[in-house]
Each structure stands twice: as structure tokens, then as C-alpha cells.
Amino acid sequence: TMTTLVSQILKDANYANVDTAHDGGSALAALRRKEYDLVITDWQMHPISGVELIKLIGADARLSKVRTILITGLYGKEDQAWLQGADGYVTKPFEPRALTEKVEDVLSTVAQLASR
């Protein structure tokens, strides 16, 4: 349900290239097959959690440019998200605009760094 919701929010915000994966292993395999700018992952996925997925992305030199946003229902974990390497953090429940603003923030930071 969350995958479908996030995907639809992004499509409604005119992000045309949106792919989904229902677990961290599938997401990692997709990241290794195709180039992506951003991954939005849920903290509490199984068998690979969103935090573990972010660590795996960070450990793979081929994926070093991929930015990540962590979605969670766990309050007060924002500092942990940053420490694990997340570029953004959204707490459930969230409004669609909160997610799209976070996506815009993370992607604009990437664009600013690339232009330097």
C-alpha cells in the first residue's frame, strides 16, 4: 500500500520516471541494473530494512550518486536516519506535499552540488 501511495504521489507531482520495488533486495537489484537519482525507502521493510538498504547503497561505489529518503512511522529517529546516510526523512503519516517537498529539496541539493 505504501509503495503504491508514494508512487502515485510522485506521478501526480509530474515525476515521470518512477519505478517501484516491494523489498530492499529487489530495490538493490534494480539500482544495479538501471541508473537512478533517488530512492525512497521505508525504514521497516523486510528482509532488508530501509536503513540496511541505505547502508548498502552507500557501500557500493557504483551507487554513490544515488540520494535516499527514509520514510518511517518511528518518531524521534531523524538523527539516526542522518547517521545511517539518509539524505532526507519523512514521518508517517504525511501529506503528499510534504513528500514532494522533501524530494524537491534532496534533488535540488544534488543539482547544486553537480553545478559546482
Side-chain angles (χ1 to χ4, degrees):
T1 305
M2 184 57 64
T3 303
T4 302
L5 175 65
V6 169
S7 176
Q8 192 59 54
I9 289 169
L10 295 173
K11 289 175 183 176
D12 290 348
N14 296 317
Y15 289 98
N17 188 13
V18 177
D19 293 331
T20 60
H22 293 285
D23 61 72
S26 298
L28 194 57
L31 286 163
R32 291 180 172 149
R33 283 192 312 270
K34 183 178 172 186
E35 188 173 318
Y36 292 91
D37 296 321
L38 177 69
V39 169
I40 300 172
T41 184
D42 196 296
W43 190 306
Q44 296 179 330
M45 290 190 308
H46 298 285
I48 297 173
S49 73
V51 170
E52 290 173 277
L53 177 60
I54 289 170
K55 287 179 183 179
L56 290 168
I57 291 169
D60 189 327
R62 295 170 297 165
L63 303 177
S64 65
K65 294 185 179 185
V66 176
R67 301 298 90 194
T68 57
I69 295 174
L70 192 59
I71 296 176
T72 185
L74 303 171
Y75 292 91
K77 299 287 187 176
E78 191 166 354
D79 287 343
Q80 280 187 292
W82 305 132
L83 290 173
Q84 301 305 324
D87 298 293
Y89 182 90
V90 177
T91 304
K92 295 185 250 181
F94 57 85
E95 294 292 323
R97 188 72 196 136
L99 179 61
T100 57
E101 285 175 356
K102 186 60 68 179
V103 168
E104 291 166 7
D105 287 347
V106 169
L107 292 178
S108 70
T109 300
V110 169
Q112 288 172 4
L113 292 174
S115 68
R116 291 182 184 174

